[in-house]
Amino acid sequence: KGKHFNLTEAGELLYRNATKMINLIEETTDMMDDFKQSKRGTLRVGASHAPIYSILPSTFKNYMHEHPNIDINLMVDTAPVIIDQVKNRKIDIAVIAEKGFNESELQVKRLHDNPLVLAMDKRHPLAQHNQCTIEDINNYRFIIHNGGSTRDSINEWRKKNFINLDVHMETNSISSILATIKDSNYLSLVSENAIRHHSNIISKQLPNAPTTSYISLVYRNDRHLTTIIQDFITLIYNTK
């Protein structure tokens, strides 16, 4: 009791491979249950923050209506975390914002563009501007995301335009960002899809914007696409 052990290199390798085997067994068991129970079971979905505020709510609503006997287990985190979960077979399929990544064991299906935009309250002093310049933007303080593909786009834009933003708060919660800039003079940089259903928040195109990201479906190349997963993919494409 109270003692700690460090695995040898061989032990680490055995542990990693054993974990993969256990996850594969669980995945196979879920597939067999899907076939035996006539479309009863659980769909494990991973998502980064942008699709949670755009296409996923409608997709989930329609999916649950059409498949009342299937439960949805949703995990929301940054895109890198979700990608790892897909690779390790912890989730069946993911919908994430991404700008391109090299993972040979994963299949990526891009759904639509997801550009970085300047977000503000609809009564913000810049709201009436047709276009916002870098000089305009530098007059205000920012609330920004601290991780994931959104932060990658922010960093790319800052570097590309030699901008040192006046950042007052950083968070991994899009909800917190949008709630904080509402009824204030704060600005934020968020993906366009993240503000789709927020009537009090408007967006402006960024000057000299960074490379566009995408909302994409991600799953393992060797993942058997059961009827449960295929129906979800079909609804995603119909929703977009």
Side-chain angles (χ1 to χ4, degrees):
K1 184 178 179 180
K3 293 183 178 179
H4 299 278
F5 298 93
N6 293 321
L7 292 175
T8 63
E9 184 177 350
E12 288 282 0
L13 180 62
L14 177 62
Y15 174 76
R16 287 197 300 270
N17 287 341
T19 300
K20 289 179 182 178
M21 291 174 63
I22 291 170
N23 290 334
L24 187 57
I25 291 170
E26 291 175 350
E27 180 181 309
T28 304
T29 301
D30 289 342
M31 286 192 293
M32 293 301 100
D33 287 344
D34 182 23
F35 290 125
K36 288 189 295 184
Q37 297 180 31
S38 301
K39 298 179 69 174
R40 291 178 179 270
T42 299
L43 176 65
R44 303 173 301 174
V45 180
S48 61
H49 295 86
I52 285 294
Y53 294 95
S54 53
I55 61 173
L56 280 180
S58 295
T59 302
F60 286 144
K61 189 182 300 182
N62 292 334
Y63 189 87
M64 290 186 289
H65 176 73
E66 294 181 13
H67 302 82
N69 294 321
I70 298 174
D71 298 326
I72 295 175
N73 188 335
L74 174 65
M75 175 183 180
V76 181
D77 213 312
T78 61
V81 172
I82 296 299
I83 289 169
D84 281 342
Q85 293 293 303
V86 175
K87 289 170 59 179
N88 293 324
R89 303 179 188 274
K90 295 293 186 181
I91 53 183
D92 302 316
I93 192 164
V95 186
I96 63 170
E98 54 86 18
K99 300 186 71 171
F101 56 92
N102 186 20
E103 295 288 353
S104 60
E105 59 200 297
L106 300 183
Q107 188 75 237
V108 180
K109 303 290 186 182
R110 286 180 169 170
L111 302 171
H112 56 75
D113 293 352
N114 184 44
L116 188 73
V117 296
L118 182 69
M120 65 193 73
D121 184 84
K122 65 182 181 181
R123 293 177 295 274
H124 193 280
L126 295 182
Q128 302 306 315
H129 289 216
N130 291 326
Q131 291 183 323
C132 293
T133 66
I134 290 176
E135 289 73 21
D136 293 330
I137 293 170
N138 277 333
N139 290 325
Y140 297 92
R141 305 190 80 178
F142 277 77
I143 313 294
I144 64 173
H145 209 283
N146 63 5
S149 62
T150 298
R151 184 53 181 260
D152 290 342
S153 293
I154 292 171
N155 290 341
E156 179 190 338
W157 184 72
R158 293 164 82 170
K159 184 176 181 180
K160 184 177 181 180
N161 293 282
F162 304 99
I163 294 173
N164 185 20
L165 295 178
D166 184 2
V167 177
H168 202 184
M169 185 175 91
E170 299 184 30
T171 175
N172 66 351
S173 168
I174 291 292
S175 296
S176 295
I177 290 172
L178 299 182
T180 304
I181 67 174
K182 182 176 177 292
D183 299 321
S184 78
N185 281 348
Y186 283 111
L187 297 174
S188 188
L189 299 169
V190 299
S191 63
E192 187 175 55
N193 286 276
I195 62 171
R196 182 182 293 184
H197 300 295
H198 292 265
S199 59
N200 291 317
I201 305 297
I202 65 169
S203 67
K204 300 288 182 179
Q205 185 177 351
L206 280 172
N208 199 21
T211 308
T212 297
S213 66
Y214 301 89
I215 298 296
S216 302
L217 276 170
V218 180
Y219 52 89
R220 288 187 59 92
N221 286 324
D222 61 358
R223 184 69 166 90
H224 175 72
L225 298 181
T226 64
T227 303
I228 288 176
I229 299 173
Q230 289 177 5
D231 288 351
F232 179 77
I233 292 173
T234 299
L235 276 176
I236 280 279
Y237 274 101
N238 290 339
T239 302
K240 70 168 183 168

